[in-house]
C-alpha cells in the first residue's frame, strides 16, 4: 500500500476548524486532511498516522488551545524525529511576539498566518509548504504536479532528481 | 510488494529454473543457461519486480557466474568456448556507453548553467505568438534539444515553459491538451534523431558494433533525423486538428539573459565543438565515442563540471544499456539467439514483412515496457536473422536495427510508455484517453513511415 501524506489541522473553535478544512479541500485528491481540537488529541492522531505507516506532511495549528498551546505542540513535534520534517504553520490571532519567536527558533516555523485569513492566501501557503515537503521527502514527487506547484516539481525532474529515461 | 511484483518474482524464478530442468533439443548446455538468464531478465524487466537497472546488473553477474571461463560451470566437454568474464564486464565501458557519458555530461552541464532554457527562449522567438505557430516552435525546439539531451529532462524543462502559457488559457480551451501532449511527443520523437538521443539507439548501435559494423554519428542522423523532422510536423498537425486552439494568440515571456560566467562560456564552446565533431564524423573519421571524452575532460578539468555534478549523473541509465548489450552477447555466443530464431520459418516472410513484424513488435512492446528493454530483448534475435542469411548483409542489419530503435521510440500511447508521457499526464492538463488517441495515430503513422523509408530511402544510403 502506498504511504498517505496527512494534513493535520488543530483548532479548538469548530466553525474556524470547518472553515480552514473547507478552504483547503482542493488538496483532498492527493492528501488526507485530519482534524484535532486540542494538542492532546493532535498527539494521538499523529501517533496513529505513524502507526499505520503514513506521514504528516503539514500541520496548520492554532496557538490558543485548551491545555497545551500550539507553539508547545510544534516545538515538541520538532524534537520528535517522526515529525521533525513536517512543515509547521501557525494560524492564529493571538500569539505574542515571544511565543512566535520561540516557534520560529525552536520549531522551525515555516509560516505565520494571522486570522482572519484570505482563502487564496491560505491555499497558496498550503501549496507551497506541501510542495516543499514532497520535493524533500517523496521519492517520486511527479504524482503531485497537478495539485501542487507543477513548475517547481518539473524543475526538479529537469535536474534529474527523480525520473530518467528508460 | 505489489501483486504484480510478486507475480513477476515467481514467474521470473520459474523462467530461470525451466531450462535447468527441461532439455531443449538442439540447444547447447550454455544455451540453456543463457535462456535461464534471458527468461529471468525478460520477466523482471516486464514486471519491474526489481528496478530495471538492477535487473541489468543481475544479468551481467549471472553471465559471469554461468557463462564465463571464470564462472562455476565446466564447459570443457562441450562445444561452447566460454568468454572471459571481462567480455561481460566491459560492456559497462562499451564505446557507446562512453558516448552516452559524454552526452550526459554535456546535458547535465547545460542544465547546471541553464543553457537548455536560454536556447529554448532564443529558438522560440522566431515563432511569434500565434498559438498554432507557437506550438510548432515548442515541438521543434523540444525535438532538437531531446536529440542531444535526455527526453525526460527536456520534457520537464519544457513543462516549466508551457505551464505559464496554459495558465493563461481558458480552462475549456482544447489547446491546453494539445500543448500538454506536444511536449512529450516531440521529446520522444526527437530522441530518434541522434545516437545519443535515447538509450534504445545505444543498445542497437552497440549490437551492430559487435557484428563489426561501425555506425557513425552522422550516418545515424542521415538515416533517422529526416524521419524525426517529418514526424514532428505530422504530430503537430495531428494535435492542432484534434485539439484546435480557441485562442488565436498567446503572449509568452521569453526575456532572460544567457549566462556569461567563465564556466558557462566554457560549456558553450565545448558543446559547440563536440556536437560539430559528432555530426561531421564522416568527414574526419574521429569516432564519436572518442569525441565524447572531450566534454568529459574539458568540463571537469576546468571545474565547469564538478565532483558533486558527476555524482548526480544518471548512472543507472548506463547500467541499463550495458545490461542490454551483455544480454545480446550471451544470446549470440551461446547460440541461444539462433536457436530461438530457428523456431520460426522466417524464409516464408518477405524481407519487408520481416521488418514490419519487428517494427510492430517493438512498437507494441515498448508501449508497455521501457524502450531500452524492448530494444535489448529484440535486437539479439534480429541480428541473428541477418547473420543466418535471412536478411541480406550490412544493409539488412542496419535496417533491422533502425526499425527496432525507431519503432520503440514511437511508443507513446500510455503514461507508462515513456517517462515524458508520465510527466505530461501528471500535470493534470490531459486525460489518459487523450494520450491514447493521439499517441495511437502518431505511432501508426510512424510505423508506416519506418516501412516506407526501408523501401525508398535507407537501401540507397547504406
Amino acid at each position: 500500500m502506498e504511504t498517505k501524506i496527512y494534513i493535520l489541522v488543530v483548532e479548538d473553535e469548530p466553525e474556524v476548524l470547518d472553515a480552514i478544512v473547507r478552504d483547503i479541500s482542493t488538496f483532498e485528491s492527493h492528501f488526507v486532511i485530519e482534524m484535532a481540537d486540542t494538542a492532546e488529541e493532535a498527539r494521538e492522531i499523529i501517533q496513529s498516522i505513524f502507526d499505520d505507516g503514513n506521514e504528516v506532511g503539514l500541520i496548520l495549528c492554532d496557538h490558543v488551545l485548551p491545555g497545551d498551546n500550539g507553539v508547545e505542540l510544534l516545538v515538541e513535534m520538532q524534537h520528535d524525529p517522526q515529525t521533525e520534517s513536517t512543515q509547521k504553520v501557525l494560524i492564529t490571532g493571538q500569539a505574542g511576539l515571544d511565543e512566535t519567536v520561540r516557534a520560529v527558533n525552536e520549531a522551525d516555523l515555516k509560516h505565520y498566518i494571522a486570522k482572519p485569513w484570505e482563502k487564496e492566501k491560505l491555499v497558496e501557503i498550503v501549496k507551497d509548504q506541501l510542495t516543499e515537503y514532497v520535493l524533500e521527502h517523496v521519492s517520486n514527487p511527479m504524482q503531485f504536479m497537478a495539485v501542487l506547484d507543477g513548475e517547481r516539481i518539473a524543475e526538479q525532474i529537469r535536474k534529474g532528481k527523480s525520473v530518467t529515461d528508460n | 510488494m505489489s501483486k504484480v511484483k510478486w507475480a513477476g518474482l515467481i514467474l521470473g524464478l520459474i523462467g530461470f529454473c525451466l531450462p535447468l530442468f527441461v532439455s531443449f533439443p538442439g540447444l547447447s548446455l550454455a544455451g540453456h543457461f543463457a535462456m535461464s538468464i534471458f527468461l529471468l531478465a525478460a520477466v523482471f524487466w516486464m514486471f519491474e519486480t526489481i528496478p530495471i537497472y538492477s535487473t541489468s546488473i543481475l544479468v551481467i553477474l549471472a553471465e559471469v557466474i554461468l557463462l564465463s571461463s571464470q564462472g562455476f560451470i565446466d564447459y570443457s566437454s562441450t562445444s561452447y568456448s566460454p568468454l572471459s568474464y571481462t567480455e561481460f564486464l566491459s560492456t559497462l565501458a562499451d564505446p557507446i556507453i562512453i558516448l552516452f557519458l559524454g552526452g550526459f555530461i554535456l546535458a547535465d552541464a547545460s542544465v547546471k548553467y541553464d543553457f537548455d532554457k536560454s536556447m529554448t527562449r532564443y529558438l522560440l522567438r522566431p515563432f511569434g505568438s500565434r498559438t498554432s505557430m507557437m506550438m510548432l516552435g515548442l515541438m521543434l525546439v523540444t525535438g532538437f534539444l531531446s536529440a542531444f539531451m535526455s527526453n525526460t529532462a527536456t520534457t520537464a524543462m519544457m513543462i516549466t515553459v508551457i505551464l505559464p502559457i496554459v495558465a493563461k488559457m481558458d480552462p475549456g480551451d482544447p489547446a491546453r491538451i494539445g500543448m500538454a501532449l506536444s511536449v512529450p511527443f516531440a521529446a520522444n520523437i526527437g530522441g530518434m534523431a541522434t545516437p545519443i538521443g535515447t538509450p534504445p539507439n545505444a543498445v542497437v548501435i552497440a549490437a551492430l558494433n559487435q557484428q563489426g559494423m561501425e555506425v557513425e554519428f552522422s550516418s545515424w542522423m542521415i538515416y533517422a533525423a529526416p524521419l524525426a523532422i517529418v514526424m514532428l510536423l505530422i504530430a503537430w498537425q495531428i494535435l492542432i486538428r484534434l485539439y484546435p486552439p480557441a485562442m488565436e494568440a498567446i503572449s509568452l515571456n521569453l526575456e532572460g539573459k544567457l549566462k556569461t560566467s567563465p564556466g558557462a562560456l566554457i560549456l558553450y564552446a565545448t558543446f559547440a565543438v563536440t556536437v560539430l565533431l559528432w555530426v561531421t564524423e564522416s568527414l574526419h573519421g574521429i569516432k564519436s565515442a572518442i569525441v565524447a571524452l572531450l566534454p568529459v575532460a574539458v568540463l571537469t578539468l576546468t571545474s565547469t563540471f564538478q565532483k558533486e555534478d558527476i555524482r548526480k549523473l544518471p548512472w543507472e541509465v548506463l547500467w541499463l544499456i550495458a545490461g542490454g548489450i551483455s544480454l545480446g552477447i550471451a544470446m549470440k555466443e551461446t547460440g541461444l539467439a539462433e536457436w530461438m530464431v530457428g523456431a520460426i520459418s522466417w524464409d516464408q516472410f518477405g524481407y519487408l514483412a520481416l521488418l514490419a513484424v519487428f517494427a510492430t513488435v517493438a512498437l507494441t512492446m515498448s508501449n508497455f515496457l521501457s524502450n531500452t528493454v524492448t530494444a535489448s530483448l529484440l535486437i539479439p534475435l534480429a541480428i541473428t536473422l541477418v547473420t543466418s542469411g535471412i536478411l541480406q548483409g550490412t544493409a539488412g542489419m542496419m535496417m533491422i536495427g533502425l526499425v527496432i530503435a525507431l519503432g520503440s521510440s514511437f511508443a507513446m500511447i500510455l503514461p507508462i510508455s515513456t517517462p515524458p508521457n508520465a510527466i505530461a499526464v501528471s500535470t493534470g492538463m490531459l486525460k489518459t484517453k487523450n494520450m491514447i488517441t493521439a499517441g495511437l495515430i502518431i505511432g501508426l503513422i510512424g510505423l508506416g513511415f519506418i516501412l516506407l523509408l526501408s523501401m525508398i530511402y535507407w537501401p540507397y544510403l547504406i
Side-chain angles (χ1 to χ4, degrees):
Chain A
M1 237 192 40
E2 214 165 312
T3 311
K4 288 192 208 116
I5 301 173
Y6 279 74
I7 304 171
L8 180 58
V9 186
V10 190
E11 167 65 65
D12 58 335
E13 290 171 59
E15 311 83 60
V16 182
L17 184 61
D18 283 350
I20 298 175
V21 172
R22 195 174 53 237
D23 284 356
I24 63 170
S25 59
T26 47
F27 298 97
E28 263 177 327
S29 54
H30 290 69
F31 299 88
V32 188
I33 301 175
E34 191 59 84
M35 295 165 275
D37 51 21
T38 62
E40 198 49 49
E41 194 190 351
R43 286 189 196 103
E44 282 168 25
I45 291 174
I46 291 169
Q47 200 46 54
S48 71
I49 291 171
F50 280 97
D51 288 346
D52 293 340
N54 297 319
E55 7 183 304
V56 187
L58 170 68
I59 178 165
L60 299 172
C61 189
D62 185 16
H63 176 55
V64 183
L65 297 167
D68 288 346
N69 67 37
V71 171
E72 274 170 65
L73 175 67
L74 295 183
V75 171
E76 186 186 299
M77 284 174 72
Q78 187 66 19
H79 291 136
D80 181 345
Q82 284 184 323
T83 47
E84 193 190 339
S85 57
T86 302
Q87 301 293 114
K88 298 171 189 79
V89 172
L90 205 52
I91 175 161
T92 182
Q94 300 127 302
L97 182 62
D98 287 352
E99 283 147 327
T100 313
V101 167
R102 186 170 170 232
V104 171
N105 289 344
E106 292 178 41
D108 191 22
L109 189 75
K110 296 296 180 190
H111 216 103
Y112 181 102
I113 303 173
K115 287 178 189 169
W117 66 91
E118 287 165 37
K119 184 189 170 186
E120 289 75 31
K121 192 92 183 109
L122 177 67
V123 167
E124 202 51 43
I125 292 164
V126 168
K127 188 184 270 189
D128 275 352
Q129 296 307 325
L130 287 173
T131 304
E132 195 77 39
Y133 183 83
V134 300
L135 287 179
E136 261 325 293
H137 301 284
V138 176
S139 61
N140 185 10
M142 189 167 79
Q143 52 186 310
F144 298 104
M145 276 177 84
V147 64
L148 300 181
D149 187 339
E151 258 183 272
R152 274 180 72 192
I153 296 173
E155 182 63 24
Q156 200 204 35
I157 300 173
R158 165 180 173 251
K159 296 201 165 134
K161 284 206 183 101
S162 51
V163 200
T164 46
D165 278 7
N166 65 31
Chain B
M1 220 160 56
S2 70
K3 275 185 191 142
V4 177
K5 289 186 178 185
W6 272 111
L9 180 65
I10 293 163
L11 273 177
L13 294 177
I14 293 175
F16 183 80
C17 295
L18 187 74
L20 305 181
F21 294 106
V22 181
S23 172
F24 295 97
L27 187 62
S28 67
L29 175 67
H32 280 81
F33 283 119
M35 190 197 265
S36 285
I37 299 171
F38 175 80
L39 291 176
L40 182 78
V43 173
F44 278 11
W45 272 334
M46 286 175 192
F47 288 77
E48 292 195 32
T49 303
I50 56 176
I52 51 175
Y53 50 85
S54 75
T55 299
S56 295
I57 286 295
L58 199 59
V59 165
I60 297 178
L61 175 66
E63 287 168 349
V64 169
I65 293 175
L66 296 174
L67 297 171
S68 78
S69 51
Q70 284 78 7
F72 296 154
I73 310 293
D74 179 14
Y75 288 109
S76 53
S77 59
T78 72
S79 59
Y80 170 67
S81 53
L83 297 171
S84 165
Y85 76 112
T86 56
E87 294 283 328
F88 297 115
L89 293 190
S90 63
T91 54
L92 286 159
D94 189 277
I96 201 81
I97 298 270
I98 302 300
L99 177 62
F100 264 66
L101 180 65
F104 284 173
I105 287 199
L106 273 185
D108 279 21
S110 300
V111 169
K112 180 178 174 181
Y113 292 94
D114 288 335
F115 188 35
D116 52 343
K117 287 190 166 176
S118 313
M119 259 197 288
T120 302
R121 284 194 294 263
Y122 183 76
L123 294 171
L124 275 180
R125 273 177 208 155
F127 291 93
S129 61
R130 265 185 57 206
T131 314
S132 60
M133 285 310 287
M134 186 184 286
M135 220 165 102
L136 174 65
L138 282 170
M139 292 185 75
L140 291 178
V141 175
T142 307
F144 171 72
L145 289 179
S146 82
F148 295 96
M149 295 175 52
S150 102
N151 299 353
T152 307
T154 307
T155 303
M157 191 271 296
M158 276 294 171
I159 291 287
T160 67
V161 174
I162 66 164
L163 280 176
I165 309 179
V166 171
K168 287 182 206 152
M169 289 178 169
D170 186 76
D173 190 339
R176 283 167 60 101
I177 299 174
M179 211 161 253
L181 285 172
S182 71
V183 169
F185 285 3
N188 295 335
I189 294 172
M192 298 172 195
T194 69
I196 58 161
T198 183
N201 301 357
V203 173
V204 164
I205 292 172
L208 296 174
N209 287 344
Q210 298 281 346
Q211 298 299 316
M213 192 180 163
E214 297 282 346
V215 184
E216 288 177 353
F217 200 98
S218 44
S219 33
W220 180 279
M221 287 189 72
I222 292 170
Y223 306 144
L227 175 68
I229 294 167
V230 170
M231 282 308 297
L232 282 173
L233 296 174
I234 292 176
W236 168 60
Q237 277 299 316
I238 291 171
L239 290 177
I240 52 176
R241 272 152 220 265
L242 282 176
Y243 306 105
M247 276 163 83
E248 187 61 25
I250 292 175
S251 65
L252 173 59
N253 182 9
L254 295 171
E255 294 303 306
K257 276 209 170 113
L258 200 63
K259 286 196 175 149
T260 51
S261 63
L265 295 175
I266 293 170
L267 166 69
Y268 306 150
T270 315
F271 199 108
V273 172
T274 309
V275 170
L276 192 70
L277 286 173
W278 274 339
V279 299
T280 55
E281 189 182 336
S282 55
L283 300 178
H284 53 68
I286 307 172
K287 294 186 192 314
S288 52
I290 300 173
V291 173
L293 285 176
L294 185 76
V296 179
V298 172
L299 295 178
T300 52
L301 72 86
T302 54
S303 289
T304 306
F305 202 75
Q306 291 164 321
K307 195 160 66 182
E308 311 79 73
D309 304 316
I310 297 173
R311 288 191 186 135
K312 282 188 220 147
L313 289 173
W315 295 103
E316 79 280 10
V317 179
L318 300 183
W319 288 15
L320 181 63
I321 299 171
I325 301 173
S326 77
L327 183 65
I329 296 176
M331 289 173 69
K332 177 174 167 285
E333 293 297 325
T334 59
L336 173 65
E338 205 176 334
W339 182 86
M340 286 171 77
V341 166
I344 301 174
S345 41
W346 294 96
D347 38 5
Q348 292 172 1
F349 287 81
Y351 142 87
L352 199 64
L354 199 65
L355 292 181
V357 167
F358 272 91
T360 312
V361 172
L363 180 66
T364 314
M365 273 174 74
S366 71
N367 265 308
F368 302 96
L369 304 184
S370 135
N371 296 358
T372 317
V373 164
T374 303
S376 305
L377 293 174
L378 291 180
I379 194 71
L381 305 177
I383 292 271
T384 312
L385 281 182
V386 180
T387 48
S388 61
I390 296 161
L391 275 174
Q392 291 306 308
T394 344
M397 187 132 55
M398 186 68 227
M399 278 197 276
I400 198 130
L402 282 166
V403 158
I404 289 172
L406 304 179
S408 52
S409 281
F410 271 123
M412 45 188 111
I413 294 181
L414 299 169
I416 57 157
S417 300
T418 71
N421 282 18
I423 297 173
V425 171
S426 299
T427 61
M429 287 190 273
L430 67 145
K431 300 255 167 16
T432 302
K433 67 167 196 244
N434 305 130
M435 185 169 267
I436 294 176
T437 315
L440 190 63
I441 299 173
I442 292 170
L444 290 175
I445 295 178
L447 189 68
F449 265 98
I450 290 177
L451 297 176
L452 187 67
L453 291 185
S454 55
M455 285 188 284
I456 62 161
Y457 181 60
W458 295 330
Y460 301 100
L461 294 172
I462 304 166

